[in-house]
Every structure is written in structure tokens, then in C-alpha cells.
Amino acid sequence: MAISFRDRREAGRVLASKLSSYAGRSDVVVLGLPRGGVPVAFEVAKILKVPLDVFVVRKLGVPGHEELAMGATASGKVRVLNEDVIKRLAIPDEVIESVATGEERELARRERRYRENRTPVAVDGKTVVLVDDGLATGSTMRAAVLALRARNPANLVVAVPASEACEDFKNKVDEIVCATTPEPFHAVGQWYKEFSPTSDEEVCELLSRGAQNEGQQDLQQK
């Protein structure tokens, strides 16, 4: 029977129960995809007692077919291209550059807004748990995985409360954790009783609280 979540925060608590093997580990970090993935990731990181950060990713959509990704740009000045799509559609370099420049501008704006001068959490050599509020087509998460791989995590785990695309990720990441895989799926929002859009302000607040939680945990360990 499919699970129905009250809201994203409850979904995060349920998801955390599926990730207990990562609790309290110094090599684990949780990254939330903004905006909706951050409230879920906040609860996961809080329960697992591991660092929380945001991973801003912008898909580089093919002009006229934006849902089709020709690459991605992400936190840490990472740009990755899907050479198969680019070659198949014969996309010129200047088109790629134009799309990438626009998306990188928006990414930089969001980074400034969300981080508030905080240093990004290091992921090189870490086990990274990448969290969103659900997967429908999975296109944004695929772009995030592609971009995050370029930052050399030791292990990459994708974790979501609800998805119909879990099988698609089994060969792309080290582990895929889905709290529920309902059928028929239709849309992510149908599995939440409350699914209002997450604001930039809420993302900033949760990231700030996550940093405070991490600081308190560091003090307790000293």
C-alpha cells in the first residue's frame, strides 16, 4: 500500500528511517535539491546527525525541447554535457554556450541567496545522500547525478520519498532509496496532503538551521 505524506517534513522523517545505516557517520553529507527537496533533506540530515547542504543544479535544456537535457550546470562551477544528445541533434557550440550562460547566471543568483556566505560542504571522497521531494520523469535528478559525479564523491545515494523512476537510477548511482513506489504515479504532489511550493525564504531558513544543528553536534563531540 502506498504511503501518503502529510507534508515534505514528514516525508523526510519517513525517508530518514530508510537511511539509518548512514546515521552519525563522519563521511556522510546530505544534499537537498532546491527548492522542494530541501525541507525533506533537512529532516533527513537532522535525524541522521550529518551535515546538510544545498546542491543547486540547472538542467541545460535543448532549445524548443527544454525537458530534454543536453547537459547540466551545478554548484561548484561544474558543467557537464551529454555528448550523445548534442551529436544526435547536431547542436552548435554557440547554442550550448548561450543556454549554459543563462542557466549559470540563475544558478549563481540562487547560490548567493541560499548560502548567505556559508562555505559549501565538501563532497570529495564523501558518501553523498542526494535528496528531492520525489521523482516523476527524473530528469532533474539525472542532471544532478551527472554534475555531482564530477565532484568525486566516494559514493552517491539518491533518496526520495516517492518515485516511479527508481529503476532508472539503479545503474547510475551506488544506491537508490525510495520510501514508496506507488502505481499509478501520475505526479509527485498527489502523494502529499500539503504540497505548496517551497519558497526561497524557507530554503534559506532551513539551511541556516541545518548549519546551526551541525555546529551543536560538533560541540557535543568535543
Side-chain angles (χ1 to χ4, degrees), residues 51-100:
L52 168 71
D53 202 358
V54 66
F55 190 68
V56 186
V57 60
R58 301 290 296 177
K59 185 171 57 179
L60 305 182
V62 175
H65 303 277
E66 279 73 15
E67 189 61 24
L68 178 60
M70 60 180 174
T73 183
S75 296
K77 298 183 179 179
V78 173
R79 185 194 290 186
V80 290
L81 299 176
N82 187 330
E83 298 293 349
D84 290 340
V85 169
I86 291 167
K87 287 178 182 176
R88 187 170 75 245
L89 299 179
I91 301 170
D93 289 345
E94 58 268 24
V95 171
I96 297 169
E97 190 61 34
S98 175
V99 171

Side-chain angles (χ1 to χ4, degrees), residues 11-67:
R13 292 190 286 273
V14 172
L15 187 58
S17 71
K18 310 286 185 183
L19 294 161
S20 58
S21 63
Y22 297 101
R25 285 174 41 179
S26 61
D27 66 325
V28 174
V29 299
V30 171
L31 302 183
L33 295 186
R35 300 181 181 97
V38 173
V40 184
F42 173 82
E43 294 295 332
V44 170
K46 182 172 72 171
I47 292 169
L48 298 186
K49 297 184 178 179
V50 298
L52 168 71
D53 202 358
V54 66
F55 190 68
V56 186
V57 60
R58 301 290 296 177
K59 185 171 57 179
L60 305 182
V62 175
H65 303 277
E66 279 73 15
E67 189 61 24

Side-chain angles (χ1 to χ4, degrees), residues 157-180:
V157 180
V158 164
V160 293
S163 173
E164 66 170 357
C166 282
E167 290 294 324
D168 296 347
F169 283 86
K170 283 192 171 175
N171 295 323
K172 294 181 174 67
V173 295
D174 298 288
E175 186 180 1
I176 172 77
V177 177
C178 301
T180 184

Side-chain angles (χ1 to χ4, degrees), residues 44-213:
V44 170
K46 182 172 72 171
I47 292 169
L48 298 186
K49 297 184 178 179
V50 298
L52 168 71
D53 202 358
V54 66
F55 190 68
V56 186
V57 60
R58 301 290 296 177
K59 185 171 57 179
L60 305 182
V62 175
H65 303 277
E66 279 73 15
E67 189 61 24
L68 178 60
M70 60 180 174
T73 183
S75 296
K77 298 183 179 179
V78 173
R79 185 194 290 186
V80 290
L81 299 176
N82 187 330
E83 298 293 349
D84 290 340
V85 169
I86 291 167
K87 287 178 182 176
R88 187 170 75 245
L89 299 179
I91 301 170
D93 289 345
E94 58 268 24
V95 171
I96 297 169
E97 190 61 34
S98 175
V99 171
T101 298
E103 294 297 349
E104 285 165 357
R105 190 179 302 118
E106 173 60 15
L107 186 147
R109 184 197 71 78
R110 291 196 181 198
E111 287 258 281
R112 288 192 299 271
R113 180 79 173 90
Y114 297 155
R115 289 200 182 283
E116 299 177 337
N117 298 319
R118 285 187 299 273
T119 303
V121 171
V123 301
D124 188 8
K126 300 280 189 178
T127 291
V128 176
V129 181
L130 190 58
V131 177
D132 205 355
D133 55 7
L135 294 177
T137 65
S139 58
T140 300
M141 183 62 83
R142 276 192 289 273
V145 167
L146 196 64
L148 195 52
R149 283 290 189 201
R151 293 181 62 183
N152 303 312
N155 295 287
L156 184 51
V157 180
V158 164
V160 293
S163 173
E164 66 170 357
C166 282
E167 290 294 324
D168 296 347
F169 283 86
K170 283 192 171 175
N171 295 323
K172 294 181 174 67
V173 295
D174 298 288
E175 186 180 1
I176 172 77
V177 177
C178 301
T180 184
T181 53
E183 291 184 10
F185 188 84
H186 299 310
V188 171
Q190 78 178 101
W191 302 106
Y192 289 85
K193 292 174 180 148
E194 197 283 315
F195 196 66
S196 59
T198 303
S199 67
D200 279 349
E201 290 74 19
E202 183 179 359
V203 170
C204 292
E205 179 198 354
L206 292 174
L207 291 172
S208 177
R209 287 172 60 189
Q212 290 170 10
N213 289 343

